[in-house]
Amino acid sequence: ESFGTGSNHIREKDGIWAVLCWLQILAAHNSDPSAKLVSVQDIVEKHWAKYGRSYYSRYDYENVEADKAAQVMARLTGMIDMFNLTAEKSVTVTSSYTIVECDEFEYKDPVDGS
């Protein structure tokens, strides 16, 4: 994503920030020119081995009526309460999937307040 710089003033710039972020990560992991080159795949696989795989899903809804959007959000946040999801409790959805963390994220842009 935008690494905390998202807003309506520069739309869909996530790719630029992601590339810059990965270049910085690669530079930090490859600071010794005599060492074996560390790749993105190396970094990601090491992360997965330590923390497991993580999944993210995003849906953009534009031009939605405010009251309808508020109803959707109330239902979704109500599901967090319904499942009683906390840091101490996970919910098994199927034999293959368990929800271990679920939260609501909000970002306020410091430049334009959007």
Side-chain angles (χ1 to χ4, degrees):
E1 277 302 311
S2 308
F3 303 101
T5 63
S7 182
N8 289 334
H9 56 276
I10 304 175
R11 298 198 43 111
E12 302 305 327
K13 77 242 164 262
D14 300 348
I16 295 167
W17 290 112
V19 168
L20 290 173
C21 178
W22 272 110
L23 288 173
Q24 180 61 42
I25 292 168
L26 287 169
H29 280 80
N30 289 292
S31 58
D32 180 359
S34 65
K36 177 187 175 289
L37 186 66
V38 178
S39 69
V40 171
Q41 181 175 351
D42 296 330
I43 295 166
V44 170
E45 288 178 352
K46 183 177 178 183
H47 175 85
W48 290 341
K50 182 172 183 176
Y51 300 105
R53 298 289 299 264
S54 56
Y55 299 90
Y56 173 78
S57 181
R58 170 181 157 169
Y59 299 95
D60 289 332
Y61 299 96
E62 299 196 20
N63 301 318
V64 176
E65 297 173 27
D67 61 326
K68 300 291 184 192
Q71 290 174 14
V72 169
M73 291 307 299
R75 175 153 178 149
L76 291 172
T77 55
M79 292 175 132
I80 296 170
D81 296 334
M82 179 179 74
F83 285 121
N84 193 25
L85 289 169
T86 65
E88 298 82 33
K89 181 181 178 223
S90 61
V91 174
T92 301
V93 179
T94 70
S95 62
S96 301
Y97 297 99
T98 301
I99 300 173
V100 294
E101 183 178 347
C102 183
D103 62 8
E104 181 180 3
F105 175 81
E106 179 179 7
Y107 174 78
K108 295 275 187 198
D109 187 282
V111 175
D112 66 9
S114 65

